[in-house]
Amino acid sequence: NENISKIYSEKYDLSIAALRFFTVYGCFGRPDMAYYSFCKDLYFKKEFIVFNEGKMSRDMTHIEDIVSGIQNAIEYVKKINFSNFEIFNLGNANPISTLDLINKLEIITDRKAVFNFQESLSESSITHADLAKSENFLKYSPKISIDDGLKEFHDWFVSYHDI
């Protein structure tokens, strides 16, 4: 998509901002995402499948921070008076390990995880957004901490699933 966008930008004299999202989470999130399935497994006492000893880390970004970044990108593109193509990272710049994420959810839910550790060769060991360019051009600055974001997600989850 980024390559096609760059070609279109050059060919049709367009200003385009490509956005890279880093592990978006929050209310009404995707049930296939780890934070969601971990919370579900805690409540329904299911065994957690955890890859690579839980040592992988993800740069988790709250949906409100992503929406703010999108709005800033729209404003940035609207200001440009010439053909331009830029790629921006929208993340949190604070990766959290799988085990730390599960620990935070255990505390929030007041439940204990049962682990089933498995190996996976297809998983990245870490995702980490470099926000320097986004901070500079888009004035992007994530505001929601992982603790606050997970608490908000948990409260929604319990209400949504009538737990």
Side-chain angles (χ1 to χ4, degrees):
N1 288 337
E2 291 172 2
N3 289 336
I4 291 170
S5 295
K6 185 171 183 359
I7 291 167
Y8 267 74
S9 174
E10 293 167 355
K11 184 174 182 177
Y12 296 108
D13 196 33
L14 299 172
S15 292
I16 297 176
L19 305 176
R20 294 179 180 163
F21 302 150
F22 285 74
T23 314
V24 182
Y25 75 99
C27 301
F28 293 97
R30 289 178 25 210
D32 63 319
M33 297 291 283
Y35 72 95
Y36 197 115
S37 61
F38 291 157
C39 195
K40 185 176 176 186
D41 291 348
L42 280 165
Y43 274 105
F44 296 103
K45 298 182 172 97
K46 290 187 179 178
E47 191 175 73
F48 279 50
I49 295 175
V50 178
F51 294 115
N52 304 330
E53 300 174 3
K55 295 179 181 174
M56 299 174 304
S57 295
R58 297 291 178 260
D59 193 346
M60 297 188 60
T61 315
H62 193 273
I63 185 65
E64 288 182 27
D65 289 327
I66 292 294
V67 170
S68 174
I70 293 169
Q71 291 170 328
N72 292 1
I74 291 168
E75 292 305 312
Y76 171 78
V77 169
K78 285 171 38 178
K79 289 180 191 173
I80 297 188
N81 295 325
F82 57 90
S83 176
N84 191 28
F85 174 77
E86 298 288 346
I87 299 171
F88 297 102
N89 292 334
L90 298 182
N92 192 34
N94 290 301
I96 182 171
S97 75
T98 302
L99 287 180
D100 287 343
L101 173 65
I102 292 169
N103 179 257
K104 288 179 182 298
L105 289 170
E106 285 177 319
I107 292 167
I108 292 169
T109 62
D110 195 28
R111 296 171 187 270
K112 202 74 178 137
V114 177
F115 295 104
N116 174 357
F117 291 105
Q118 298 180 11
E119 292 301 312
S120 173
L121 299 175
S122 63
E123 296 283 339
S124 299
S125 61
I126 187 170
T127 62
H128 189 174
D130 178 350
L131 300 181
K133 185 175 179 183
S134 299
E135 289 168 346
N136 185 35
F137 288 95
L138 304 181
K139 307 305 179 220
Y140 174 74
S141 177
K143 307 259 186 285
I144 311 294
S145 72
I146 189 71
D147 291 324
D148 291 343
L150 286 177
K151 175 72 172 107
E152 178 191 76
F153 165 74
H154 170 263
D155 293 348
W156 167 83
F157 181 91
V158 168
S159 174
Y160 184 79
H161 291 283
D162 198 26
I163 296 173

